[in-house]
Amino acid sequence: MAQPTTRIGLAGLAVMGQNLALNIAEKGFPISVYNRTTSKVDETVERAKAEGNLPVYGYHDPEAFVHSIQKPRVIIMLVKAGAPVDQTIKTLSAFMEKGDCIIDGGNEWYENTERREKQVAELGLLYLGMGVSGGEEGARNGPSLMPGGSFEAFKYIEDIVLKVAAQVPDSGPCVTYIGKGGSGNFVKMIHNGIEYGDMQLIAEAYDVLKSVGKLSNEELQSVFSEWNKGELLSFLIEITADIFGIKDDKGDGYLVDKVLDKTGMKGTGKWTVQQAAELSVAAPTIEASLDARFLSGLKEERVEAAKVFKSGGFGDIVTDQLVDKQKLIDDVRKALYAAKICSYAQGMNLIRAKSIEKGWDLKLGELARIWKGGCIIRAIFLDRIKQAYDRNPDLANLLVDPEFAKEIIDRQSAWRRVVCLAINSGISTPGMSASLAYFDTYRRERLPANLVQAQRDYFGAHTYERVDIDGSYHTEWFKLARQSRI
């Protein structure tokens, strides 16, 4: 019996692709699936049967796959970024017709998306780069989706993505048309950069509570569960609480203590930091989180360094401080919240700067809305971020929104106490410290940058401006200094 024409196709059936295909089918859209390794196709079809006879139709041949989809055809690719995407486009486009559409749902570099959009346009095809956040569980049950590129292509899939995306009761589906070109991929990349910062800050909070406060895993689970009921309510805090409760199935104690302290990464955090440098936008919390991952990778070196400094009388952690456990927990909560605001502020500033550079006209409040569900950085305070941009779409920085400013003022003493305690205990809190330095720099009317500019003019005649008279000036500092010494 001939298989029916499907509404959409999906190529690339690793974890994310397989789950997204099942999600689409479950929402009532018959879907064709294809993978170069054909066993993945059969596996997906079997899962679809097992999960409720979902309308998923598998194809081992790319031509049959493409022709099984109703016109204008829409195909989502979920393959590894880079060359595999180009290869998949080449394979599929050979059988596609003018007006058909390709969507890249991977974590792709935004300029590659813009290049591909132009390339397939020559074949008469439409193209979208769509950020997909939420991991395996999100893909299956409702991710946050960030499609950018051809608006005409977005209209093809609007009815599908509105149903497939995470649904948040008070603000709707976690999807919106982001903007032109590679904006969808760019926004997803910055989302991941914010995620790096968020995860690092949570890890530092854990380190201070465990190393200085001597909290057990049971206590940590209780603390994070409690935090997840208040201002810190978020997916990352929730899973952190869960992690502390998991016992080791291969030995005694808790699994978290057996996990090697080396962090992996896929590259989106590095791209975010590179973009911050390109755009001249300060993103110290995100940069600190990337550096922390690099340093974590030097496990063997760190083990040797610990020996060197121990033999020099420098212990790992200063533990002779008397700590009021309950006060420490409260201080760390406040410090974590204040530092998080800085991480999100930096990410939003990066998005705004790129939007201005590229003429994308991105709506920051709308991005906060679609991140409220499905995605990894979903958190209750994204509501507050959306409200801040609703109040003032031209808000220079989240820190100066009246509500966030008040919250930081209320928490800054606790924040400083935690950072000082960590420093005095020999514990690194690069994310919290970088966030605090960002805040302290941003709130000062006058910085020591006047001296740096004077130095630049001294050795390189780079000129400087004055606070009292308009114009650019150059001073023969060396001559004046020599004369004054005579």
Side-chain angles (χ1 to χ4, degrees):
M1 196 173 82
Q3 293 186 340
T5 310
T6 59
R7 173 72 172 80
I8 190 168
L10 191 144
L13 296 169
V15 173
M16 289 292 283
Q18 202 170 105
N19 281 292
L20 190 62
L22 294 168
N23 182 354
I24 291 169
E26 193 171 63
K27 298 303 186 296
F29 302 101
I31 184 168
S32 301
V33 295
Y34 165 76
N35 197 79
R36 228 170 38 163
T37 310
T38 55
S39 59
K40 288 278 185 197
V41 176
D42 302 336
E43 188 187 302
T44 307
V45 171
E46 282 308 309
R47 260 192 79 187
K49 278 188 191 138
E51 293 183 23
N53 265 333
L54 301 175
V56 174
Y57 302 93
Y59 293 87
H60 292 176
D61 169 62
E63 184 174 8
F65 164 67
V66 172
H67 289 152
S68 72
I69 305 159
Q70 72 177 48
K71 297 179 187 177
R73 301 181 184 93
V74 178
I75 296 174
I76 299 173
M77 298 179 297
L78 271 161
V79 298
K80 204 172 172 208
V85 176
D86 292 307
Q87 188 52 53
T88 306
I89 291 171
K90 194 176 168 190
T91 301
L92 299 177
S93 62
F95 310 109
M96 296 176 81
E97 297 169 41
K98 200 174 172 189
D100 289 351
C101 166
I102 299 174
I103 301 169
D104 179 9
N107 278 332
E108 187 54 275
W109 175 239
Y110 80 99
E111 288 179 337
N112 286 343
T113 296
E114 299 193 332
R115 166 177 63 78
R116 289 171 186 139
E117 188 180 9
K118 290 190 181 80
Q119 276 175 351
V120 303
E122 289 169 17
L123 305 172
L125 302 177
L126 305 177
Y127 199 81
L128 281 175
M130 180 168 73
V132 180
S133 178
E136 182 181 348
E137 197 263 339
R140 180 65 185 85
N141 299 309
S144 174
L145 298 170
M146 297 155 247
S150 159
F151 184 68
E152 192 186 341
F154 173 71
K155 285 311 219 185
Y156 281 7
I157 59 153
E158 188 173 21
D159 62 328
I160 297 177
V161 294
L162 285 173
K163 282 193 175 173
V164 165
Q167 309 290 319
V168 175
D170 59 341
S171 60
C174 293
V175 60
T176 190
Y177 173 69
I178 301 291
K180 294 190 190 121
S183 60
N185 291 116
F186 187 86
V187 165
K188 172 60 165 59
M189 177 186 78
I190 302 299
H191 160 287
N192 287 20
I194 294 170
E195 181 186 307
Y196 271 53
D198 224 342
M199 292 169 77
Q200 177 62 27
L201 293 169
I202 292 169
E204 291 172 20
Y206 154 63
D207 197 9
V208 172
L209 291 175
K210 179 185 167 74
S211 303
V212 184
K214 302 292 176 217
L215 271 73
S216 65
N217 286 318
E218 293 96 322
E219 288 172 311
L220 287 163
Q221 184 186 22
S222 169
V223 166
F224 276 81
S225 298
E226 197 53 42
W227 285 358
N228 200 44
K229 294 172 187 166
E231 62 193 7
L232 288 171
L233 189 154
S234 64
F235 174 69
L236 285 169
I237 295 288
E238 179 189 332
I239 68 168
T240 302
D242 287 347
I243 287 166
F244 291 130
I246 305 295
K247 296 271 179 69
D248 183 10
D249 61 346
K250 293 179 174 59
D252 295 334
Y254 286 84
L255 185 55
V256 70
D257 299 321
K258 310 286 175 68
V259 177
L260 182 67
D261 52 323
K262 273 172 80 166
T263 311
M265 64 190 107
K266 293 279 180 70
T268 43
K270 191 192 287 187
W271 289 346
T272 301
V273 171
Q274 286 168 339
Q275 279 297 293
E278 289 281 328
L279 293 162
S280 304
V281 173
T285 312
I286 299 169
E287 287 163 22
S289 69
L290 186 67
D291 286 341
R293 292 194 183 197
F294 294 151
L295 282 163
S296 80
L298 306 177
K299 176 66 176 177
E300 294 76 16
E301 286 181 46
R302 289 188 288 111
V303 169
E304 290 309 309
K307 290 176 194 165
V308 170
F309 290 105
K310 213 158 260 176
S311 65
F314 201 96
D316 189 18
I317 292 163
V318 179
T319 56
D320 57 355
Q321 304 182 49
L322 283 171
V323 174
D324 177 336
K325 216 183 246 193
Q326 210 42 57
K327 185 162 187 359
L328 179 66
I329 290 167
D330 196 49
D331 277 357
V332 172
R333 173 181 60 77
K334 289 174 178 169
L336 177 55
Y337 185 75
K340 262 169 80 91
I341 294 171
C342 294
S343 187
Y344 282 74
Q346 292 159 28
M348 289 301 192
N349 287 352
L350 279 168
I351 292 171
R352 178 198 281 115
K354 181 57 82 173
S355 176
I356 291 167
E357 179 192 273
K358 301 286 286 184
W360 283 339
D361 192 29
L362 303 183
K363 305 283 186 283
L364 300 184
E366 183 66 354
L367 299 184
R369 181 190 71 76
I370 67 165
W371 287 345
K372 279 171 60 181
C375 73
I376 304 300
I377 63 170
R378 62 184 182 265
I380 197 165
F381 97 141
L382 280 158
D383 245 345
R384 320 274 305 293
I385 293 176
K386 181 185 184 307
Q387 288 159 16
Y389 287 115
D390 286 349
R391 278 193 292 274
N392 179 8
D394 301 319
L395 187 65
N397 191 305
L398 271 181
L399 299 183
V400 293
D401 170 72
E403 280 199 24
F404 280 122
K406 182 181 182 307
E407 290 186 330
I408 285 184
I409 291 163
D410 291 347
R411 288 159 180 74
Q412 61 135 359
S413 298
W415 192 5
R416 293 180 196 285
R417 280 196 297 273
V418 170
V419 170
C420 288
L421 179 66
I423 290 167
N424 290 330
S425 303
I427 295 171
S428 58
T429 49
M432 282 191 188
S433 304
S435 289
L436 185 56
Y438 177 75
F439 167 65
D440 279 338
T441 304
Y442 190 68
R443 69 178 178 80
R444 284 187 68 194
E445 191 178 334
R446 187 162 171 82
L447 293 168
N450 56 317
L451 178 59
V452 176
Q453 197 56 20
Q455 290 168 335
R456 292 181 75 242
D457 189 50
Y458 189 125
F459 65 68
H462 292 293
T463 75
Y464 58 90
E465 293 174 82
R466 294 177 58 105
V467 294
D468 52 350
I469 317 166
D470 285 342
S472 289
Y473 297 87
H474 169 58
T475 296
E476 299 283 350
W477 303 87
F478 178 70
K479 277 186 191 167
L480 294 173
R482 199 169 50 185
Q483 283 167 14
S484 71
R485 285 198 291 266
I486 295 168

